[in-house]
Amino acid sequence: MLEYIRAETATTRGELAELTGLSRSNIAERVGELAALGLVVEAGTARSTGGRAPVRLRFNHLAGCVAAVDMGTTGVRTAITDLHGRTLVDDLFECRVSAGPQASLAAIEKSLESLLESSAVAGIPLTGIGLGFPGPVQFASGHPTSPASAPSWDGYPIREQLARRFEVDAWVDNEANMLALGELRLGAARRASDVVVVKFGTGIGAGLVSGGQLQRGHLGGAGDIAHVSVPGATSARCSCGRASCLTTVASGAALGRTAVLLAESGASPTLRELVTAGRTPTVDDLAQAAAGGDLACIRAIEASASHLGHVLAMLVNVLNPELVLLAGRVMESADLVLPVVRRTIYAESTPLTTRALRIERSAPDGHFGISGAALTVVDKLLEPERLGAWPAARSQTLEAINH
């Protein structure tokens, strides 16, 4: 019932009775329980179809708040959201995952502490924490597992540390999974059921949606395309120990290395000027030079897009999605990336899998990784077996004991 109300599939007691087959008295009793927890409120009346107008029911998105963390390879966004996954207050700061878990989590905890003191969340109880990590995560434990680019995080108890620090439950997942869930609920994938969401940033990852549900795989490793080998591509050896991994030839980090090479060789006059001025070019400099017409930089971005498109074509052939959605830092060059990715996928995928396929860019300022991190928490907290642990339920239990 709560899920029907939360999704606005049913907004009156009568509609709940029709959907569930329960009696009106049973519906009234259960709605009363949800109202006592603060999760459902009455919100005016719906249109009458004869007789008294039915009372409209609404999910109370401010019955609690969630601390959400979207970790990237080089930066972190933190936020406090409502129970719809919408941001109430947020923070963005530089933080390199390579700094290790102690330093990174200390910065994240400090940021969340500051956000929780904001007037925007005053009086709203913190109910849980969700964190998206830029690497493989075993979802059941919340522990990073053999992250090639950040070995010091392997097996680190992120979930336990955050839960202990803030005295609420915490969940950790791969950042691309969090992004995919946010897009599915609040973004461009809202009306889609089979989707591949790609994080094309400093690193590369994918979140997979099938039948309207996020697919993590058996242990949580689904969608880890960073270390798929790209035939014919040459690169430095990957941190995983192999060569020609997608992340080494197509990611933002790879483009950053290319920027330096183009500057040092003089192939890019624009980037060469930066070196002459004493500055090391970055992926952002490369993107800006490409936007200004620098041919070498344009070709570098297009080559990365082609490599990504090749790997995504394999996914399209295997999964037959209706939507491929691209997000992340490199998508600031979407005018160069999208045409190449589309062309490569259409050329290398079967006619049936591309017949109704859409390949689009995510909304640049959507912050759907934050939404997905928050909604991961809310989905877990609102599972039937966990409703008794909701803050209002705990306080009611304590009150009964004290009396």
mmCIF file with all atom_site columns, all heavy atoms in Angstrom, residues 254-281:
data_model
loop_
_atom_site.group_PDB
_atom_site.id
_atom_site.type_symbol
_atom_site.label_atom_id
_atom_site.label_alt_id
_atom_site.label_comp_id
_atom_site.label_asym_id
_atom_site.label_entity_id
_atom_site.label_seq_id
_atom_site.pdbx_PDB_ins_code
_atom_site.Cartn_x
_atom_site.Cartn_y
_atom_site.Cartn_z
_atom_site.occupancy
_atom_site.B_iso_or_equiv
_atom_site.pdbx_formal_charge
_atom_site.auth_seq_id
_atom_site.auth_comp_id
_atom_site.auth_asym_id
_atom_site.auth_atom_id
_atom_site.pdbx_PDB_model_num
ATOM 1   N N   . ALA A 1 254 ? 42.156 9.082  -19.257 1.00 0.00 ? 254 ALA A N   1
ATOM 2   C CA  . ALA A 1 254 ? 42.924 8.816  -20.481 1.00 0.00 ? 254 ALA A CA  1
ATOM 3   C C   . ALA A 1 254 ? 43.039 10.070 -21.338 1.00 0.00 ? 254 ALA A C   1
ATOM 4   O O   . ALA A 1 254 ? 44.104 10.362 -21.906 1.00 0.00 ? 254 ALA A O   1
ATOM 5   C CB  . ALA A 1 254 ? 42.253 7.694  -21.273 1.00 0.00 ? 254 ALA A CB  1
ATOM 6   N N   . LEU A 1 255 ? 41.963 10.822 -21.432 1.00 0.00 ? 255 LEU A N   1
ATOM 7   C CA  . LEU A 1 255 ? 41.994 12.063 -22.206 1.00 0.00 ? 255 LEU A CA  1
ATOM 8   C C   . LEU A 1 255 ? 42.915 13.093 -21.568 1.00 0.00 ? 255 LEU A C   1
ATOM 9   O O   . LEU A 1 255 ? 43.557 13.885 -22.266 1.00 0.00 ? 255 LEU A O   1
ATOM 10  C CB  . LEU A 1 255 ? 40.579 12.631 -22.341 1.00 0.00 ? 255 LEU A CB  1
ATOM 11  C CG  . LEU A 1 255 ? 39.680 11.917 -23.351 1.00 0.00 ? 255 LEU A CG  1
ATOM 12  C CD1 . LEU A 1 255 ? 38.236 12.396 -23.216 1.00 0.00 ? 255 LEU A CD1 1
ATOM 13  C CD2 . LEU A 1 255 ? 40.175 12.143 -24.777 1.00 0.00 ? 255 LEU A CD2 1
ATOM 14  N N   . GLY A 1 256 ? 42.997 13.068 -20.239 1.00 0.00 ? 256 GLY A N   1
ATOM 15  C CA  . GLY A 1 256 ? 43.935 13.962 -19.564 1.00 0.00 ? 256 GLY A CA  1
ATOM 16  C C   . GLY A 1 256 ? 45.373 13.645 -19.949 1.00 0.00 ? 256 GLY A C   1
ATOM 17  O O   . GLY A 1 256 ? 46.188 14.555 -20.186 1.00 0.00 ? 256 GLY A O   1
ATOM 18  N N   . ARG A 1 257 ? 45.692 12.353 -20.008 1.00 0.00 ? 257 ARG A N   1
ATOM 19  C CA  . ARG A 1 257 ? 47.046 11.950 -20.431 1.00 0.00 ? 257 ARG A CA  1
ATOM 20  C C   . ARG A 1 257 ? 47.283 12.327 -21.894 1.00 0.00 ? 257 ARG A C   1
ATOM 21  O O   . ARG A 1 257 ? 48.373 12.769 -22.263 1.00 0.00 ? 257 ARG A O   1
ATOM 22  C CB  . ARG A 1 257 ? 47.226 10.452 -20.220 1.00 0.00 ? 257 ARG A CB  1
ATOM 23  C CG  . ARG A 1 257 ? 47.242 10.031 -18.754 1.00 0.00 ? 257 ARG A CG  1
ATOM 24  C CD  . ARG A 1 257 ? 47.668 8.586  -18.593 1.00 0.00 ? 257 ARG A CD  1
ATOM 25  N NE  . ARG A 1 257 ? 46.693 7.652  -19.156 1.00 0.00 ? 257 ARG A NE  1
ATOM 26  C CZ  . ARG A 1 257 ? 45.668 7.142  -18.466 1.00 0.00 ? 257 ARG A CZ  1
ATOM 27  N NH1 . ARG A 1 257 ? 45.479 7.484  -17.201 1.00 0.00 ? 257 ARG A NH1 1
ATOM 28  N NH2 . ARG A 1 257 ? 44.846 6.280  -19.038 1.00 0.00 ? 257 ARG A NH2 1
ATOM 29  N N   . THR A 1 258 ? 46.251 12.174 -22.706 1.00 0.00 ? 258 THR A N   1
ATOM 30  C CA  . THR A 1 258 ? 46.374 12.549 -24.120 1.00 0.00 ? 258 THR A CA  1
ATOM 31  C C   . THR A 1 258 ? 46.625 14.046 -24.260 1.00 0.00 ? 258 THR A C   1
ATOM 32  O O   . THR A 1 258 ? 47.403 14.476 -25.137 1.00 0.00 ? 258 THR A O   1
ATOM 33  C CB  . THR A 1 258 ? 45.098 12.161 -24.884 1.00 0.00 ? 258 THR A CB  1
ATOM 34  O OG1 . THR A 1 258 ? 44.929 10.744 -24.820 1.00 0.00 ? 258 THR A OG1 1
ATOM 35  C CG2 . THR A 1 258 ? 45.168 12.594 -26.336 1.00 0.00 ? 258 THR A CG2 1
ATOM 36  N N   . ALA A 1 259 ? 45.975 14.833 -23.408 1.00 0.00 ? 259 ALA A N   1
ATOM 37  C CA  . ALA A 1 259 ? 46.160 16.286 -23.458 1.00 0.00 ? 259 ALA A CA  1
ATOM 38  C C   . ALA A 1 259 ? 47.638 16.654 -23.267 1.00 0.00 ? 259 ALA A C   1
ATOM 39  O O   . ALA A 1 259 ? 48.183 17.514 -23.972 1.00 0.00 ? 259 ALA A O   1
ATOM 40  C CB  . ALA A 1 259 ? 45.302 16.967 -22.396 1.00 0.00 ? 259 ALA A CB  1
ATOM 41  N N   . VAL A 1 260 ? 48.280 15.974 -22.324 1.00 0.00 ? 260 VAL A N   1
ATOM 42  C CA  . VAL A 1 260 ? 49.700 16.243 -22.069 1.00 0.00 ? 260 VAL A CA  1
ATOM 43  C C   . VAL A 1 260 ? 50.541 15.852 -23.288 1.00 0.00 ? 260 VAL A C   1
ATOM 44  O O   . VAL A 1 260 ? 51.445 16.599 -23.707 1.00 0.00 ? 260 VAL A O   1
ATOM 45  C CB  . VAL A 1 260 ? 50.170 15.480 -20.814 1.00 0.00 ? 260 VAL A CB  1
ATOM 46  C CG1 . VAL A 1 260 ? 51.680 15.641 -20.636 1.00 0.00 ? 260 VAL A CG1 1
ATOM 47  C CG2 . VAL A 1 260 ? 49.434 15.987 -19.577 1.00 0.00 ? 260 VAL A CG2 1
ATOM 48  N N   . LEU A 1 261 ? 50.256 14.699 -23.871 1.00 0.00 ? 261 LEU A N   1
ATOM 49  C CA  . LEU A 1 261 ? 51.013 14.242 -25.037 1.00 0.00 ? 261 LEU A CA  1
ATOM 50  C C   . LEU A 1 261 ? 50.836 15.183 -26.226 1.00 0.00 ? 261 LEU A C   1
ATOM 51  O O   . LEU A 1 261 ? 51.810 15.488 -26.938 1.00 0.00 ? 261 LEU A O   1
ATOM 52  C CB  . LEU A 1 261 ? 50.572 12.830 -25.417 1.00 0.00 ? 261 LEU A CB  1
ATOM 53  C CG  . LEU A 1 261 ? 50.915 11.717 -24.416 1.00 0.00 ? 261 LEU A CG  1
ATOM 54  C CD1 . LEU A 1 261 ? 50.305 10.395 -24.869 1.00 0.00 ? 261 LEU A CD1 1
ATOM 55  C CD2 . LEU A 1 261 ? 52.426 11.589 -24.256 1.00 0.00 ? 261 LEU A CD2 1
ATOM 56  N N   . LEU A 1 262 ? 49.606 15.641 -26.438 1.00 0.00 ? 262 LEU A N   1
ATOM 57  C CA  . LEU A 1 262 ? 49.356 16.558 -27.563 1.00 0.00 ? 262 LEU A CA  1
ATOM 58  C C   . LEU A 1 262 ? 50.068 17.885 -27.364 1.00 0.00 ? 262 LEU A C   1
ATOM 59  O O   . LEU A 1 262 ? 50.530 18.510 -28.334 1.00 0.00 ? 262 LEU A O   1
ATOM 60  C CB  . LEU A 1 262 ? 47.848 16.786 -27.715 1.00 0.00 ? 262 LEU A CB  1
ATOM 61  C CG  . LEU A 1 262 ? 47.017 15.579 -28.164 1.00 0.00 ? 262 LEU A CG  1
ATOM 62  C CD1 . LEU A 1 262 ? 45.534 15.954 -28.213 1.00 0.00 ? 262 LEU A CD1 1
ATOM 63  C CD2 . LEU A 1 262 ? 47.479 15.086 -29.543 1.00 0.00 ? 262 LEU A CD2 1
ATOM 64  N N   . ALA A 1 263 ? 50.164 18.304 -26.117 1.00 0.00 ? 263 ALA A N   1
ATOM 65  C CA  . ALA A 1 263 ? 50.856 19.566 -25.830 1.00 0.00 ? 263 ALA A CA  1
ATOM 66  C C   . ALA A 1 263 ? 52.363 19.415 -26.026 1.00 0.00 ? 263 ALA A C   1
ATOM 67  O O   . ALA A 1 263 ? 53.017 20.248 -26.661 1.00 0.00 ? 263 ALA A O   1
ATOM 68  C CB  . ALA A 1 263 ? 50.544 19.998 -24.399 1.00 0.00 ? 263 ALA A CB  1
ATOM 69  N N   . GLU A 1 264 ? 52.912 18.337 -25.484 1.00 0.00 ? 264 GLU A N   1
ATOM 70  C CA  . GLU A 1 264 ? 54.363 18.147 -25.549 1.00 0.00 ? 264 GLU A CA  1
ATOM 71  C C   . GLU A 1 264 ? 54.847 17.918 -26.979 1.00 0.00 ? 264 GLU A C   1
ATOM 72  O O   . GLU A 1 264 ? 55.950 18.341 -27.349 1.00 0.00 ? 264 GLU A O   1
ATOM 73  C CB  . GLU A 1 264 ? 54.755 16.961 -24.664 1.00 0.00 ? 264 GLU A CB  1
ATOM 74  C CG  . GLU A 1 264 ? 54.577 17.253 -23.167 1.00 0.00 ? 264 GLU A CG  1
ATOM 75  C CD  . GLU A 1 264 ? 54.895 16.045 -22.306 1.00 0.00 ? 264 GLU A CD  1
ATOM 76  O OE1 . GLU A 1 264 ? 54.976 14.927 -22.876 1.00 0.00 ? 264 GLU A OE1 1
ATOM 77  O OE2 . GLU A 1 264 ? 55.053 16.209 -21.085 1.00 0.00 ? 264 GLU A OE2 1
ATOM 78  N N   . SER A 1 265 ? 54.004 17.239 -27.787 1.00 0.00 ? 265 SER A N   1
ATOM 79  C CA  . SER A 1 265 ? 54.402 16.967 -29.176 1.00 0.00 ? 265 SER A CA  1
ATOM 80  C C   . SER A 1 265 ? 54.158 18.159 -30.088 1.00 0.00 ? 265 SER A C   1
ATOM 81  O O   . SER A 1 265 ? 54.680 18.215 -31.210 1.00 0.00 ? 265 SER A O   1
ATOM 82  C CB  . SER A 1 265 ? 53.617 15.772 -29.706 1.00 0.00 ? 265 SER A CB  1
ATOM 83  O OG  . SER A 1 265 ? 52.239 16.102 -29.840 1.00 0.00 ? 265 SER A OG  1
ATOM 84  N N   . GLY A 1 266 ? 53.363 19.108 -29.618 1.00 0.00 ? 266 GLY A N   1
ATOM 85  C CA  . GLY A 1 266 ? 53.023 20.257 -30.448 1.00 0.00 ? 266 GLY A CA  1
ATOM 86  C C   . GLY A 1 266 ? 51.875 19.986 -31.401 1.00 0.00 ? 266 GLY A C   1
ATOM 87  O O   . GLY A 1 266 ? 51.503 20.859 -32.196 1.00 0.00 ? 266 GLY A O   1
ATOM 88  N N   . ALA A 1 267 ? 51.265 18.778 -31.329 1.00 0.00 ? 267 ALA A N   1
ATOM 89  C CA  . ALA A 1 267 ? 50.143 18.459 -32.216 1.00 0.00 ? 267 ALA A CA  1
ATOM 90  C C   . ALA A 1 267 ? 48.954 19.367 -31.959 1.00 0.00 ? 267 ALA A C   1
ATOM 91  O O   . ALA A 1 267 ? 48.162 19.654 -32.864 1.00 0.00 ? 267 ALA A O   1
ATOM 92  C CB  . ALA A 1 267 ? 49.732 16.995 -32.038 1.00 0.00 ? 267 ALA A CB  1
ATOM 93  N N   . SER A 1 268 ? 48.839 19.839 -30.714 1.00 0.00 ? 268 SER A N   1
ATOM 94  C CA  . SER A 1 268 ? 47.783 20.794 -30.376 1.00 0.00 ? 268 SER A CA  1
ATOM 95  C C   . SER A 1 268 ? 48.416 22.138 -30.031 1.00 0.00 ? 268 SER A C   1
ATOM 96  O O   . SER A 1 268 ? 48.992 22.302 -28.949 1.00 0.00 ? 268 SER A O   1
ATOM 97  C CB  . SER A 1 268 ? 46.961 20.302 -29.175 1.00 0.00 ? 268 SER A CB  1
ATOM 98  O OG  . SER A 1 268 ? 46.161 21.350 -28.670 1.00 0.00 ? 268 SER A OG  1
ATOM 99  N N   . PRO A 1 269 ? 48.322 23.112 -30.922 1.00 0.00 ? 269 PRO A N   1
ATOM 100 C CA  . PRO A 1 269 ? 48.897 24.435 -30.631 1.00 0.00 ? 269 PRO A CA  1
ATOM 101 C C   . PRO A 1 269 ? 48.288 25.059 -29.385 1.00 0.00 ? 269 PRO A C   1
ATOM 102 O O   . PRO A 1 269 ? 48.991 25.734 -28.616 1.00 0.00 ? 269 PRO A O   1
ATOM 103 C CB  . PRO A 1 269 ? 48.556 25.243 -31.888 1.00 0.00 ? 269 PRO A CB  1
ATOM 104 C CG  . PRO A 1 269 ? 48.345 24.218 -32.959 1.00 0.00 ? 269 PRO A CG  1
ATOM 105 C CD  . PRO A 1 269 ? 47.738 23.036 -32.269 1.00 0.00 ? 269 PRO A CD  1
ATOM 106 N N   . THR A 1 270 ? 46.993 24.823 -29.178 1.00 0.00 ? 270 THR A N   1
ATOM 107 C CA  . THR A 1 270 ? 46.324 25.432 -28.028 1.00 0.00 ? 270 THR A CA  1
ATOM 108 C C   . THR A 1 270 ? 46.895 24.894 -26.726 1.00 0.00 ? 270 THR A C   1
ATOM 109 O O   . THR A 1 270 ? 47.205 25.662 -25.799 1.00 0.00 ? 270 THR A O   1
ATOM 110 C CB  . THR A 1 270 ? 44.814 25.136 -28.076 1.00 0.00 ? 270 THR A CB  1
ATOM 111 O OG1 . THR A 1 270 ? 44.302 25.496 -29.353 1.00 0.00 ? 270 THR A OG1 1
ATOM 112 C CG2 . THR A 1 270 ? 44.083 25.916 -26.991 1.00 0.00 ? 270 THR A CG2 1
ATOM 113 N N   . LEU A 1 271 ? 47.044 23.582 -26.642 1.00 0.00 ? 271 LEU A N   1
ATOM 114 C CA  . LEU A 1 271 ? 47.570 22.991 -25.420 1.00 0.00 ? 271 LEU A CA  1
ATOM 115 C C   . LEU A 1 271 ? 49.059 23.261 -25.258 1.00 0.00 ? 271 LEU A C   1
ATOM 116 O O   . LEU A 1 271 ? 49.566 23.372 -24.136 1.00 0.00 ? 271 LEU A O   1
ATOM 117 C CB  . LEU A 1 271 ? 47.301 21.482 -25.409 1.00 0.00 ? 271 LEU A CB  1
ATOM 118 C CG  . LEU A 1 271 ? 45.819 21.067 -25.438 1.00 0.00 ? 271 LEU A CG  1
ATOM 119 C CD1 . LEU A 1 271 ? 45.683 19.551 -25.383 1.00 0.00 ? 271 LEU A CD1 1
ATOM 120 C CD2 . LEU A 1 271 ? 45.036 21.706 -24.285 1.00 0.00 ? 271 LEU A CD2 1
ATOM 121 N N   . ARG A 1 272 ? 49.752 23.399 -26.375 1.00 0.00 ? 272 ARG A N   1
ATOM 122 C CA  . ARG A 1 272 ? 51.181 23.715 -26.325 1.00 0.00 ? 272 ARG A CA  1
ATOM 123 C C   . ARG A 1 272 ? 51.408 25.055 -25.643 1.00 0.00 ? 272 ARG A C   1
ATOM 124 O O   . ARG A 1 272 ? 52.380 25.232 -24.886 1.00 0.00 ? 272 ARG A O   1
ATOM 125 C CB  . ARG A 1 272 ? 51.755 23.732 -27.753 1.00 0.00 ? 272 ARG A CB  1
ATOM 126 C CG  . ARG A 1 272 ? 53.247 24.038 -27.827 1.00 0.00 ? 272 ARG A CG  1
ATOM 127 C CD  . ARG A 1 272 ? 54.059 22.946 -27.165 1.00 0.00 ? 272 ARG A CD  1
ATOM 128 N NE  . ARG A 1 272 ? 55.492 23.218 -27.215 1.00 0.00 ? 272 ARG A NE  1
ATOM 129 C CZ  . ARG A 1 272 ? 56.400 22.497 -26.595 1.00 0.00 ? 272 ARG A CZ  1
ATOM 130 N NH1 . ARG A 1 272 ? 56.028 21.464 -25.848 1.00 0.00 ? 272 ARG A NH1 1
ATOM 131 N NH2 . ARG A 1 272 ? 57.671 22.804 -26.678 1.00 0.00 ? 272 ARG A NH2 1
ATOM 132 N N   . GLU A 1 273 ? 50.518 25.995 -25.893 1.00 0.00 ? 273 GLU A N   1
ATOM 133 C CA  . GLU A 1 273 ? 50.635 27.321 -25.264 1.00 0.00 ? 273 GLU A CA  1
ATOM 134 C C   . GLU A 1 273 ? 50.555 27.218 -23.745 1.00 0.00 ? 273 GLU A C   1
ATOM 135 O O   . GLU A 1 273 ? 51.216 27.970 -23.021 1.00 0.00 ? 273 GLU A O   1
ATOM 136 C CB  . GLU A 1 273 ? 49.525 28.239 -25.783 1.00 0.00 ? 273 GLU A CB  1
ATOM 137 C CG  . GLU A 1 273 ? 49.698 28.655 -27.239 1.00 0.00 ? 273 GLU A CG  1
ATOM 138 C CD  . GLU A 1 273 ? 48.554 29.529 -27.711 1.00 0.00 ? 273 GLU A CD  1
ATOM 139 O OE1 . GLU A 1 273 ? 47.693 29.874 -26.876 1.00 0.00 ? 273 GLU A OE1 1
ATOM 140 O OE2 . GLU A 1 273 ? 48.522 29.860 -28.913 1.00 0.00 ? 273 GLU A OE2 1
ATOM 141 N N   . LEU A 1 274 ? 49.736 26.275 -23.243 1.00 0.00 ? 274 LEU A N   1
ATOM 142 C CA  . LEU A 1 274 ? 49.615 26.097 -21.790 1.00 0.00 ? 274 LEU A CA  1
ATOM 143 C C   . LEU A 1 274 ? 50.930 25.599 -21.200 1.00 0.00 ? 274 LEU A C   1
ATOM 144 O O   . LEU A 1 274 ? 51.358 26.055 -20.134 1.00 0.00 ? 274 LEU A O   1
ATOM 145 C CB  . LEU A 1 274 ? 48.490 25.119 -21.470 1.00 0.00 ? 274 LEU A CB  1
ATOM 146 C CG  . LEU A 1 274 ? 47.074 25.533 -21.885 1.00 0.00 ? 274 LEU A CG  1
ATOM 147 C CD1 . LEU A 1 274 ? 46.072 24.448 -21.496 1.00 0.00 ? 274 LEU A CD1 1
ATOM 148 C CD2 . LEU A 1 274 ? 46.691 26.855 -21.226 1.00 0.00 ? 274 LEU A CD2 1
ATOM 149 N N   . VAL A 1 275 ? 51.565 24.657 -21.880 1.00 0.00 ? 275 VAL A N   1
ATOM 150 C CA  . VAL A 1 275 ? 52.852 24.133 -21.413 1.00 0.00 ? 275 VAL A CA  1
ATOM 151 C C   . VAL A 1 275 ? 53.905 25.232 -21.425 1.00 0.00 ? 275 VAL A C   1
ATOM 152 O O   . VAL A 1 275 ? 54.706 25.367 -20.491 1.00 0.00 ? 275 VAL A O   1
ATOM 153 C CB  . VAL A 1 275 ? 53.297 22.939 -22.290 1.00 0.00 ? 275 VAL A CB  1
ATOM 154 C CG1 . VAL A 1 275 ? 54.719 22.512 -21.924 1.00 0.00 ? 275 VAL A CG1 1
ATOM 155 C CG2 . VAL A 1 275 ? 52.336 21.774 -22.121 1.00 0.00 ? 275 VAL A CG2 1
ATOM 156 N N   . THR A 1 276 ? 53.887 26.027 -22.474 1.00 0.00 ? 276 THR A N   1
ATOM 157 C CA  . THR A 1 276 ? 54.834 27.146 -22.573 1.00 0.00 ? 276 THR A CA  1
ATOM 158 C C   . THR A 1 276 ? 54.644 28.117 -21.414 1.00 0.00 ? 276 THR A C   1
ATOM 159 O O   . THR A 1 276 ? 55.616 28.711 -20.906 1.00 0.00 ? 276 THR A O   1
ATOM 160 C CB  . THR A 1 276 ? 54.637 27.894 -23.909 1.00 0.00 ? 276 THR A CB  1
ATOM 161 O OG1 . THR A 1 276 ? 54.821 26.968 -24.991 1.00 0.00 ? 276 THR A OG1 1
ATOM 162 C CG2 . THR A 1 276 ? 55.631 29.036 -24.043 1.00 0.00 ? 276 THR A CG2 1
ATOM 163 N N   . ALA A 1 277 ? 53.397 28.258 -20.978 1.00 0.00 ? 277 ALA A N   1
ATOM 164 C CA  . ALA A 1 277 ? 53.092 29.157 -19.859 1.00 0.00 ? 277 ALA A CA  1
ATOM 165 C C   . ALA A 1 277 ? 53.325 28.496 -18.511 1.00 0.00 ? 277 ALA A C   1
ATOM 166 O O   . ALA A 1 277 ? 53.060 29.104 -17.466 1.00 0.00 ? 277 ALA A O   1
ATOM 167 C CB  . ALA A 1 277 ? 51.636 29.617 -19.966 1.00 0.00 ? 277 ALA A CB  1
ATOM 168 N N   . GLY A 1 278 ? 53.797 27.261 -18.523 1.00 0.00 ? 278 GLY A N   1
ATOM 169 C CA  . GLY A 1 278 ? 54.130 26.590 -17.270 1.00 0.00 ? 278 GLY A CA  1
ATOM 170 C C   . GLY A 1 278 ? 52.998 25.826 -16.627 1.00 0.00 ? 278 GLY A C   1
ATOM 171 O O   . GLY A 1 278 ? 53.059 25.498 -15.430 1.00 0.00 ? 278 GLY A O   1
ATOM 172 N N   . ARG A 1 279 ? 51.963 25.496 -17.394 1.00 0.00 ? 279 ARG A N   1
ATOM 173 C CA  . ARG A 1 279 ? 50.817 24.771 -16.825 1.00 0.00 ? 279 ARG A CA  1
ATOM 174 C C   . ARG A 1 279 ? 50.625 23.436 -17.527 1.00 0.00 ? 279 ARG A C   1
ATOM 175 O O   . ARG A 1 279 ? 50.753 23.343 -18.751 1.00 0.00 ? 279 ARG A O   1
ATOM 176 C CB  . ARG A 1 279 ? 49.548 25.612 -16.949 1.00 0.00 ? 279 ARG A CB  1
ATOM 177 C CG  . ARG A 1 279 ? 48.373 25.015 -16.183 1.00 0.00 ? 279 ARG A CG  1
ATOM 178 C CD  . ARG A 1 279 ? 47.329 26.068 -15.886 1.00 0.00 ? 279 ARG A CD  1
ATOM 179 N NE  . ARG A 1 279 ? 46.550 26.441 -17.058 1.00 0.00 ? 279 ARG A NE  1
ATOM 180 C CZ  . ARG A 1 279 ? 45.534 25.715 -17.529 1.00 0.00 ? 279 ARG A CZ  1
ATOM 181 N NH1 . ARG A 1 279 ? 45.217 24.556 -16.967 1.00 0.00 ? 279 ARG A NH1 1
ATOM 182 N NH2 . ARG A 1 279 ? 44.851 26.146 -18.568 1.00 0.00 ? 279 ARG A NH2 1
ATOM 183 N N   . THR A 1 280 ? 50.305 22.402 -16.745 1.00 0.00 ? 280 THR A N   1
ATOM 184 C CA  . THR A 1 280 ? 50.049 21.073 -17.307 1.00 0.00 ? 280 THR A CA  1
ATOM 185 C C   . THR A 1 280 ? 48.605 21.003 -17.793 1.00 0.00 ? 280 THR A C   1
ATOM 186 O O   . THR A 1 280 ? 47.672 21.246 -17.015 1.00 0.00 ? 280 THR A O   1
ATOM 187 C CB  . THR A 1 280 ? 50.282 19.979 -16.248 1.00 0.00 ? 280 THR A CB  1
ATOM 188 O OG1 . THR A 1 280 ? 51.621 20.052 -15.780 1.00 0.00 ? 280 THR A OG1 1
ATOM 189 C CG2 . THR A 1 280 ? 50.012 18.596 -16.835 1.00 0.00 ? 280 THR A CG2 1
ATOM 190 N N   . PRO A 1 281 ? 48.370 20.671 -19.056 1.00 0.00 ? 281 PRO A N   1
ATOM 191 C CA  . PRO A 1 281 ? 47.002 20.617 -19.588 1.00 0.00 ? 281 PRO A CA  1
ATOM 192 C C   . PRO A 1 281 ? 46.188 19.496 -18.932 1.00 0.00 ? 281 PRO A C   1
ATOM 193 O O   . PRO A 1 281 ? 46.723 18.457 -18.543 1.00 0.00 ? 281 PRO A O   1
ATOM 194 C CB  . PRO A 1 281 ? 47.213 20.323 -21.079 1.00 0.00 ? 281 PRO A CB  1
ATOM 195 C CG  . PRO A 1 281 ? 48.624 20.667 -21.359 1.00 0.00 ? 281 PRO A CG  1
ATOM 196 C CD  . PRO A 1 281 ? 49.374 20.401 -20.094 1.00 0.00 ? 281 PRO A CD  1
#
